[in-house]
Amino acid sequence: MAKPEEHVKFVLLALCLMLSNASVDGRLITSTKITESIRLIGTLKTIKHLQTLDGILIDCVDIYKQPAFHHPLLQNHIIQMKPSSYPREIKLETSVSQKNHLEDSYSCNISQTFLNNEECPDGTIPVARTTKIYLPGVLLNAATDNPGQHEYAQISLVDGKYLGAQAEINVWNPATYDQEFSLARIRVFLGQPDGSNYIAAGWMRDGKGCFDLQCSGFVHINKKVFLGKNVLQPSSTYNGQQYQISVAIFKDKQSGHWWVQLQGEPFGYWPNSVFSGLGDSAAALTWGGEILNSAAQGRHSSTQMGSGYFPNEGFGKAAFFRNVKYMDGNLVLRDAENVELQATKSACYDVHIENKGKDFGTQFYFGGPGYSDQCQ
């Protein structure tokens, strides 16, 4: 059994039609050509070099030279530096000073403090240096890089017209094995919710595939926050202090771009041009956990989901989502109600929705330990 990985990171995932064959002006754009474009991450011209207190090397790159613009559909794209329409009711970061309930949790810090309090210059974005191990050769989902079965413990809203989703996600550091991954995320399905066309954001442990700036097409605009190696610190502990991040994905109705917000601050978007033909809204939303079970040991994976404990353990022991909301056609935030629950293998990982609370809105616990006498 491989040694568990050590860090939790915030990730963006894009598993959309833009990752498959597409047409531009009658020319066929294949996934091979898109793969070649993201390999250019390691050859970007650097304007300034930085280093984080954790020792991660950062290159400040011209904002118009970032990997997004290697995408064939974005050759003439003009960057939007902030949303033109914004859900005013959207949940902002919960500060430590707001902790006044027994079951509150603190906001998780993103480990992105640069030495000497430096930052990238205006007109640039920070890009973490990477190697081939962080940049797989195919631009497909994790199932292609790591053969196996995806298993879920999540809640869903389907058959609607949604302009976004939001939640506060409890951050843990689950054990992962055999190059499998464990993640907690929001997914927004564009087009029909058949599993092939979605964007997502959340935290992740390990895994290989198309994530963050490795996914050609995501436009990063924040000069202070980098993607790809950012470590969420600290993470929650069993029967101890709990930490969370606030994540939102929403559509800018004027530009059509799909924005991502972390801890109350928008920091990038997927341009509407890469979602051509997929409609004006999302057809379905999901919130919850996901793991990859490769069965590498000839049995079910021991990779943990969430905290590694089942939902019935409750607060401080099981992982949770809180203030689960969706955005309607007017970008008004509404509590997610009448949701569907899905647990691929409840003996391995499960999900349990709690009664709606005054302070935490729609909330649920999810996760589990993986392999056991009951989970084979």
Side-chain angles (χ1 to χ4, degrees):
M1 182 175 294
K3 179 182 178 180
E5 299 298 314
E6 298 178 352
H7 297 299
V8 181
K9 58 186 178 182
F10 179 78
V11 294
L12 305 172
L13 304 95
L15 306 177
C16 311
L17 283 181
M18 66 175 178
L19 305 183
S20 304
N21 293 345
S23 293
V24 182
D25 298 330
R27 294 176 289 111
L28 185 65
I29 305 299
T30 68
S31 59
T32 300
K33 291 182 179 180
I34 298 175
T35 299
E36 291 172 353
S37 74
I38 65 167
R39 290 184 184 279
L40 295 175
I41 290 178
T43 62
L44 296 175
K45 183 178 180 180
T46 302
I47 295 174
K48 184 178 180 179
H49 300 287
L50 298 176
Q51 185 174 352
T52 69
L53 295 179
D54 298 320
I56 299 174
L57 297 177
I58 302 297
D59 295 325
C60 299
V61 175
D62 185 325
I63 195 170
Y64 274 98
K65 301 296 183 182
Q66 63 178 291
F69 293 95
H70 302 148
H71 195 294
L73 297 177
L74 299 180
Q75 296 301 307
N76 299 311
H77 181 74
I78 298 176
I79 292 177
Q80 181 182 0
M81 292 304 295
K82 62 181 181 180
S84 54
S85 57
Y86 193 87
R88 285 180 294 180
E89 302 92 344
I90 203 164
K91 182 74 174 179
L92 299 180
E93 178 182 1
T94 304
S95 67
V96 172
S97 62
Q98 291 175 308
K99 182 181 183 296
N100 51 23
H101 298 280
L102 177 63
E103 294 193 354
D104 265 357
S105 62
Y106 291 109
S107 289
C108 194
N109 295 319
I110 302 176
S111 179
Q112 300 199 335
T113 304
F114 298 124
L115 292 174
N116 302 319
N117 294 317
E118 290 187 288
E119 64 182 35
C120 283
D122 291 339
T124 70
I125 61 163
V127 177
R129 292 190 187 177
T130 187
T131 62
K132 289 184 179 179
I133 192 172
Y134 296 104
L135 192 58
V138 291
L139 188 62
L140 296 172
N141 61 34
T144 298
D145 291 351
N146 308 75
Q149 179 181 0
H150 292 247
E151 298 183 15
Y152 307 91
Q154 61 186 15
I155 67 171
S156 304
L157 283 177
V158 298
D159 299 328
K161 293 184 177 180
Y162 310 107
L163 294 186
Q166 171 191 294
E168 295 163 10
I169 308 176
N170 193 201
V171 176
W172 289 80
N173 192 17
T176 58
Y177 302 93
D178 303 306
Q179 294 190 321
E180 297 167 339
F181 63 72
S182 180
L183 56 85
R185 79 292 181 264
I186 299 171
R187 290 202 295 180
V188 175
F189 287 85
L190 308 174
Q192 295 302 312
D194 59 1
S196 60
N197 309 308
Y198 67 80
I199 53 180
W203 60 257
M204 180 178 187
R205 274 287 311 272
D206 202 12
K208 295 167 61 179
C210 170
F211 311 113
D212 306 324
L213 292 183
Q214 298 172 11
C215 305
S216 180
F218 182 80
V219 178
H220 184 29
I221 55 92
N222 194 312
K223 69 178 184 178
K224 297 179 181 179
V225 178
F226 64 88
L227 298 173
K229 285 188 177 180
N230 45 327
V231 178
L232 296 174
Q233 295 180 332
S235 56
S236 304
T237 56
Y238 185 83
N239 210 24
Q241 183 60 59
Q242 301 301 295
Y243 295 90
Q244 67 186 38
I245 55 173
S246 176
V247 179
I249 301 174
F250 63 92
K251 184 170 185 176
D252 184 326
K253 295 183 68 174
Q254 181 172 324
S255 68
H257 304 330
W258 286 87
W259 281 81
V260 178
Q261 175 175 287
L262 173 65
Q263 305 294 59
E265 183 176 358
F267 63 89
Y269 60 89
W270 290 280
N272 65 340
S273 58
V274 302
F275 303 122
S276 176
L278 293 181
D280 297 326
S281 59
L285 308 170
T286 66
W287 299 259
E290 178 181 351
I291 66 99
L292 180 69
N293 173 26
S294 65
Q297 307 300 318
R299 55 165 174 74
H300 193 282
S301 170
S302 295
T303 285
Q304 299 174 341
M305 180 190 293
S307 68
Y309 292 87
F310 284 111
N312 61 0
E313 294 268 352
F315 182 82
K317 300 174 182 178
F320 63 79
F321 276 63
R322 287 178 170 171
N323 286 306
V324 177
K325 298 177 182 290
Y326 71 92
M327 296 160 206
D328 66 14
N330 295 314
L331 278 180
V332 175
L333 274 171
R334 302 187 182 279
D335 289 327
E337 299 179 321
N338 300 317
V339 297
E340 297 181 4
L341 277 67
Q342 177 192 8
T344 308
K345 293 183 178 179
S346 60
C348 306
Y349 315 102
D350 207 356
V351 58
H352 175 73
I353 195 162
E354 296 287 291
N355 293 328
K356 185 176 178 180
K358 175 182 177 182
D359 298 306
F360 307 129
T362 299
Q363 56 181 320
F364 66 92
Y365 291 100
F366 72 99
Y371 175 74
S372 68
D373 291 341
Q374 292 72 40
C375 175
Q376 299 290 327

